[in-house]
Amino acid sequence: MRLSTKLVLVTLGLVIVPLVLLTASLLLLRVYRPRALRTDYGQEDTNIMNINVIRRFDALMNQLRQEITEREPETLLDPQQLSELNEVFLKDKAYLLGYLEECYFNGDAAGDNEEILGYIQGQEAFEDRDKLYFAGLSHPYLIGCQRFVSGGRQASLYLVCDVSGSLPSVTRIIFLVTISVLALAGGSIVMLGWLRLKFAKPMKQLQTAARSIAEGNLDFELVPESDDEFGELMGTFEEMRQRLKMNAEERLRYEQDSKILVSNISHDLKTPITAIKGYVEGIRDGVASSPEKQRKYLTTIYNKADDMDKLVDQLAFYSLVDTDRVPYHFTKIPVRAYFDDCRDELTPELEAQEFDLIYENTVDKDVLIVGDPEQLHRVISNIVSNSVKYRNRNAARGQIRLSVRQEREMILLEMEDNGIGIDRKDLPYIFDRFYRSDLSRSAATGGNGIGLSIVKKIVEDHSGRIWAESSPGKGTKLTIELRVWEENGHE
Ligand code: ADP
């Protein structure tokens, strides 16, 4: 059964159950009260007797009883004296009737006394009870009887109380009960509306959201409208949607990256392979006729194969970076000696590429950093190879300035070239994987856009920072910041 149907049923139950109970109580009241009147007062009248009226009447009867015992019986036959006593009861809408063979005192001339006396005489009702209920012609009455003996004759004093003002009619009670039931029903309907708003609406929203997700649509927003449990549930649902969306976008990006990578690799491999094939054909067809020419061809073939080897190596390393599985071997590295060695290694390579290396290292010789020497070497090598790749062909010689200095607890490594530079719009993206600027594309230098993303990853894994500054046509400067190792601190 659906929740909304259950809610409707519960609310209907809330209306119907009290309604049935109230109706049953009313019916019982209708049956029971007349029966109580019949047993207590011997009356068939079905009016409901108000219990407070009876109590009040009992009090008046007690008062009368008291008066009778205190007075001489003869005085009770004296209309003058009875009139005084009658005054006392008139205040309470009651009056006396004196009876001795006939009515000798009438406390209220306007009452239905004829009728009352006829009724009283017509039955022996006062034999076993002290009060009676009588529905007179014009009013309902409660009548009590006190007997006394005077001069050997038995006389009766009746206390007659008009209770018309005190007995609410059944119709009035039913009217009031109906109003209460209607109010209850109205309240329940309002409650049903509130429940629907509180439960059914958020449930519907959640259901629609879940269906959208099941259909693969994650482009919507679930805004919690309340701070109750439903609000929390919607908040958690929204969080889940955002995560799923992020994952889906990530997967899409990954798939796109993979496509770009495959296309870049094919291009990067194709270029040296075509060159190698060309040179091999040159040797085979005898174009390289002299031994000197052949050696030149072979050297070029070797260099191209070496490029391919480096590319494959970089790709293998990239897959480690991509899956966060770079095997680091951290150790304490003396900054001065480490970069001096780098300089020694780079100088002949750069010399062969017609590059000048300007090297400055002002760091104290016993200053250490914690790092993986091999991976830091990869960082420098990638940056230097970019400087070579993106050299300015118009300049006679390329130039790289490698400067290392200490600033407080930081080592700053600057690598500046005089290459083609990077356009201002490309600068923020050069560390993104697969990003290649238009300039570098048109330079036809090859490149797959992963070199600097690897550099950034390694630097960050050393808790360092890297940033780039560049002026197109003038050159590019990359700065790396690494923390100095301290005896009692950390890297
Ligand atoms: P790629 O394999 O394309 O060189 P990188 O991640 O190493 O990939 O570099 C990303 C992009 O940044 C390059 O395509 C190039 O446009 C630019 N770039 C990097 N270093 C330099 C540099 N020294 N001079 C000019 N442009 C550079």
Side-chain angles (χ1 to χ4, degrees):
M1 197 190 289
R2 296 175 69 82
L3 186 70
S4 52
T5 320
K6 279 185 191 164
L7 280 175
V8 172
L9 287 183
V10 167
T11 319
L12 282 181
L14 280 174
V15 178
I16 289 167
V17 171
L19 204 78
V20 168
L21 288 177
L22 266 167
T23 318
S25 322
L26 271 179
L27 286 175
L28 278 176
L29 206 65
R30 276 190 78 100
V31 175
Y32 168 76
R33 289 318 296 257
R35 195 178 292 164
L37 282 176
R38 215 175 296 132
T39 30
D40 290 353
Y41 309 114
Q43 286 304 305
E44 294 302 325
D45 194 275
T46 50
N47 268 3
I48 292 172
M49 183 68 72
N50 189 318
I51 204 79
N52 290 332
V53 177
I54 295 168
R55 288 223 181 101
R56 189 161 63 86
F57 186 75
D58 283 345
L60 293 175
M61 278 298 283
N62 284 339
Q63 203 177 338
L64 178 64
R65 213 170 286 131
Q66 183 100 16
E67 293 286 348
I68 291 174
T69 33
E70 280 171 8
R71 289 166 192 252
E72 289 298 320
E74 296 78 55
T75 59
L76 296 174
L77 292 174
D78 175 9
Q80 182 60 39
Q81 299 216 22
L82 267 185
S83 185
E84 281 168 26
L85 184 59
N86 192 55
E87 288 296 321
V88 177
F89 294 108
L90 276 177
K91 285 199 293 264
D92 288 299
K93 277 195 169 183
Y95 62 93
L96 296 172
L97 278 180
Y99 191 85
L100 177 66
E101 287 157 8
E102 60 175 354
C103 180
Y104 70 89
F105 179 77
N106 179 0
D108 179 17
D112 302 321
N113 297 321
E114 290 285 306
E115 235 189 306
I116 291 170
L117 284 172
Y119 169 72
I120 294 166
Q121 296 311 304
Q123 59 174 301
E124 301 299 312
F126 289 113
E127 291 299 315
D128 55 353
R129 50 175 75 86
D130 65 343
K131 54 183 172 287
L132 280 175
Y133 173 76
F134 173 63
L137 270 185
S138 53
H139 295 287
Y141 297 99
L142 269 178
I143 307 162
C145 174
Q146 279 297 312
R147 298 185 201 286
F148 64 94
V149 179
S150 171
R153 288 183 302 171
Q154 174 161 303
S156 305
L157 261 185
Y158 296 103
L159 180 70
V160 182
C161 180
D162 179 350
V163 290
S164 56
S166 320
L167 287 179
S169 71
V170 173
T171 351
R172 209 181 316 152
I173 288 186
I174 289 177
F175 173 73
L176 287 174
V177 168
T178 314
I179 292 282
S180 323
V181 168
L182 284 179
L184 188 81
S188 301
I189 287 165
V190 168
M191 216 167 86
L192 173 70
W194 181 78
L195 282 175
R196 274 185 70 85
L197 204 78
K198 278 273 154 196
F199 292 89
K201 197 178 161 207
M203 283 297 282
K204 182 101 194 130
Q205 278 176 299
L206 281 170
Q207 198 184 29
T208 319
R211 194 168 297 136
S212 298
I213 289 178
E215 285 165 2
N217 171 22
L218 297 163
D219 295 322
F220 62 90
E221 199 180 351
L222 205 57
V223 187
E225 285 172 8
S226 57
D227 52 3
D228 56 8
E229 288 82 347
F230 269 112
E232 278 173 32
L233 183 63
M234 280 169 101
T236 320
F237 208 92
E238 172 61 14
E239 230 172 80
M240 181 186 84
R241 182 198 67 83
Q242 283 173 3
R243 289 238 174 101
L244 283 172
K245 191 167 180 214
M246 237 163 62
N247 286 350
E249 282 170 355
E250 181 76 11
R251 210 177 46 240
L252 196 73
R253 212 169 23 242
Y254 187 80
E255 280 166 13
Q256 278 170 350
D257 283 359
S258 304
K259 277 187 200 152
I260 297 173
L261 185 63
V262 169
S263 113
N264 285 357
I265 293 168
S266 359
H267 175 263
D268 291 354
L269 286 176
K270 188 100 187 137
T271 319
I273 285 173
T274 315
I276 288 171
K277 268 169 75 183
Y279 284 108
V280 169
E281 271 170 22
I283 296 171
R284 193 188 60 190
D285 301 344
V287 179
S289 44
S290 63
E292 196 188 326
K293 228 174 180 179
Q294 281 176 2
R295 203 173 321 112
K296 210 172 159 192
Y297 272 36
L298 284 174
T299 310
T300 314
I301 290 170
Y302 176 83
N303 286 341
K304 294 291 170 192
D306 194 47
D307 283 353
M308 281 163 65
D309 187 37
K310 280 188 187 138
L311 176 66
V312 170
D313 183 48
Q314 197 180 34
L315 284 173
F317 188 76
Y318 170 76
S319 90
L320 293 178
V321 169
D322 195 38
T323 48
D324 225 351
R325 287 184 297 122
V326 182
Y328 285 111
H329 302 287
F330 286 103
T331 162
K332 277 179 242 161
I333 304 171
V335 179
R336 179 73 166 271
Y338 180 79
F339 287 104
D340 283 355
D341 285 353
C342 282
R343 185 259 326 261
D344 294 346
E345 218 174 293
L346 286 171
T347 309
E349 273 178 39
L350 288 174
E351 186 57 43
Q353 309 267 6
E354 296 183 339
F355 260 80
D356 293 329
L357 177 67
I358 303 159
Y359 176 70
E360 302 158 28
N361 192 338
T362 54
V363 180
D364 261 12
K365 68 175 183 335
D366 44 1
V367 172
L368 304 172
I369 54 169
V370 171
D372 180 332
E374 196 187 323
Q375 301 309 343
L376 285 180
H377 190 271
R378 191 186 294 275
V379 166
I380 293 161
S381 153
N382 277 2
I383 295 173
V384 166
S385 79
N386 273 351
S387 295
V388 173
K389 240 192 311 187
Y390 304 113
R391 67 190 300 166
N392 192 340
R393 306 269 164 201
N394 301 329
R397 278 180 77 83
Q399 193 182 74
I400 295 177
R401 192 179 63 82
L402 174 60
S403 120
V404 192
R405 65 176 199 278
Q406 179 173 2
E407 264 184 26
R408 290 187 296 272
E409 71 280 19
M410 292 297 179
I411 293 297
L412 288 173
L413 168 68
E414 285 174 357
M415 300 176 80
E416 196 173 356
D417 62 38
N418 63 343
I420 57 172
I422 304 168
D423 217 83
R424 184 191 270 272
K425 72 170 173 31
D426 295 314
L427 207 54
Y429 308 108
I430 58 166
F431 296 105
D432 293 354
R433 57 186 183 179
F434 307 129
Y435 189 82
R436 296 163 73 196
S437 73
D438 294 340
L439 265 180
S440 70
R441 277 177 230 268
S442 57
T445 45
N448 43 44
I450 57 178
L452 285 186
S453 70
I454 291 176
V455 164
K456 187 168 189 241
K457 170 79 175 139
I458 296 175
V459 171
E460 284 176 352
D461 287 348
H462 280 71
S463 310
R465 286 197 309 138
I466 179 165
W467 63 92
E469 294 152 80
S470 185
S471 329
K474 285 192 181 152
T476 304
K477 180 165 91 173
L478 277 123
T479 312
I480 295 172
E481 186 186 67
L482 295 167
R483 190 171 285 275
V484 170
W485 179 81
E486 282 161 15
E487 187 77 66
N488 52 353
H490 44 279
E491 193 187 355

